[in-house]
Amino acid sequence: MAALFPGGGFITSKYVAAAWGGILMMLTAYFGYKGLNLLSYIAVPAIGLLSVIGMVLAVKGAGGMNVVMNIIPSEKMTIGAAIVSIVGSFAGGAAAQSDITRYAKNAKTAWGGTIFGYLIANSFVIIAGYLITAATGESDLPVAFLAMGLGVAALLILILAQWTTNDNNLYTASLGIANSLPFTKHQIVIVTGVLATIVGAMGLADYFTTWLSLLGVAIPPVAGVIICDYYFLKNQKYEYGVGTKYCKVNIWAFVSLLIGALIGFIINWGIASINSLVVSVVVYFILMKTVGKNNAGIIGEEIEE
């Protein structure tokens, strides 16, 4: 906001803009899935259209696609590091995708939405972002739009792209924490949203690549535990409904994901994201088949009413 409106004064200053931006993103998460759904109907088509416009103008302004494709980055990145960064960019969302697809009409719809969202729509936005930043030489996408004379588009991209991502993150986090701690989802949304806004205002984006690398190794073990539990331990059969007992915390799940992440960070062989995921699957399976028998390591219990 400060880059788009350098003369905007108090309302567009760094910390004030972070505050009201954080409040906006907390609102849709506060109202739950309905809030996310309403925002997405507006934001997703707008982001897609603006990405196409920005991509065409950026490539044309740079002298054509051949010129853009021949651009050589100033810093090299190994294939392994690139994979970890890419995994880190959506690992959290992928691991918690069921928080969204549980509202799908059937399994076919859930699979279709997930595949289209990640493989097609998400890939398109990433490619569009690359072409725009490569063609303009500006790593900050809204600033790149501004440099092309697309001020309004830059504003919409800035707000909508972050909003649709951050409110989903906040929604997912609130669901997970509410299942383990004695607080309501609304209370958790507010507290977590305020903390996230403060961290964002402190400049986490300045270390974004490092942050993605951390997520790319630390988050796959979460998915590994879920995969192991559903496919290998429960044979794809979870019980739901009135009277069903749910555990609050499974100690072995946390032990497994911590060991998986640790191995991912320590071992230099192979690809860290895959290493951490595979290790978490194996460790969780072994622990649940040995020390985790007869509900050992389960803390707390809740019965569905």
Side-chain angles (χ1 to χ4, degrees):
M1 294 304 296
L4 291 171
F5 303 102
F10 178 75
I11 195 67
T12 61
S13 61
K14 178 179 176 181
Y15 297 109
V16 175
W20 61 257
I23 292 173
L24 283 178
M25 295 170 191
M26 287 163 58
L27 280 176
T28 46
Y30 184 88
F31 290 111
Y33 189 82
K34 290 183 178 178
L36 272 63
N37 193 43
L38 177 62
L39 174 65
S40 295
Y41 272 124
I42 300 171
V44 173
I47 293 172
L49 178 61
L50 293 173
S51 296
V52 172
I53 295 173
M55 182 170 55
V56 171
L57 291 179
V59 172
K60 184 178 179 180
M65 184 63 76
N66 290 334
V67 175
V68 176
M69 296 306 294
N70 287 324
I71 295 175
I72 300 176
S74 57
E75 296 182 11
K76 293 183 179 180
M77 179 180 283
T78 64
I79 292 295
I83 292 175
V84 169
S85 294
I86 292 170
V87 170
S89 68
F90 63 89
Q97 178 69 5
S98 56
D99 288 339
I100 304 298
T101 55
R102 65 196 176 118
Y103 290 102
K105 294 179 179 179
N106 48 52
K108 183 179 179 180
T109 303
W111 274 101
T114 301
I115 292 172
F116 180 84
Y118 278 112
L119 293 184
I120 300 176
N122 188 58
S123 297
F124 165 73
V125 172
I126 291 175
I127 292 171
Y130 163 73
L131 291 174
I132 293 170
T133 55
T136 60
E138 177 56 63
S139 60
D140 191 329
L141 197 57
V143 177
F145 271 86
L146 193 64
M148 293 185 292
L150 299 175
V152 175
L155 178 62
L156 291 174
I157 283 284
L158 173 70
I159 294 177
L160 295 179
Q162 292 188 57
W163 197 343
T164 52
T165 298
N166 291 342
D167 68 349
N168 274 271
N169 290 338
L170 189 54
Y171 171 74
T172 298
S174 66
L175 284 180
I177 297 174
N179 283 331
S180 302
L181 300 179
F183 301 103
T184 66
K185 185 175 76 69
H186 290 156
Q187 292 172 331
I188 296 169
V189 165
I190 294 173
V191 174
T192 309
V194 170
L195 291 174
T197 301
I198 293 173
V199 172
M202 291 171 61
L204 178 63
D206 295 335
Y207 308 96
F208 195 56
T209 302
T210 302
W211 177 240
L212 289 182
S213 297
L214 291 173
L215 292 180
V217 178
I219 297 299
V222 177
V225 169
I226 296 172
I227 290 169
C228 181
D229 191 72
Y230 182 68
Y231 285 101
F232 302 139
L233 296 176
K234 302 295 175 58
N235 295 318
Q236 304 182 48
K237 294 180 180 179
Y238 278 162
E239 294 182 3
Y240 302 96
V242 178
T244 303
K245 294 182 179 180
Y246 303 99
C247 72
K248 285 285 187 178
V249 177
N250 184 337
I251 292 297
W252 310 122
F254 285 94
V255 170
S256 301
L257 69 88
L258 288 174
I259 292 176
L262 184 63
I263 295 298
F265 285 118
I266 293 176
I267 302 299
N268 294 322
W269 177 85
I271 298 172
S273 298
I274 297 177
N275 293 344
S276 63
L277 186 146
V278 172
V279 169
S280 69
V281 170
V282 174
V283 171
Y284 184 64
F285 184 85
I286 294 174
L287 289 177
M288 290 301 292
K289 287 294 186 179
T290 54
V291 293
K293 286 185 175 181
N294 301 319
N295 291 329
I298 301 299
I299 300 177
E301 186 179 82
E302 182 175 345
I303 301 177
E304 185 173 348
E305 298 178 353

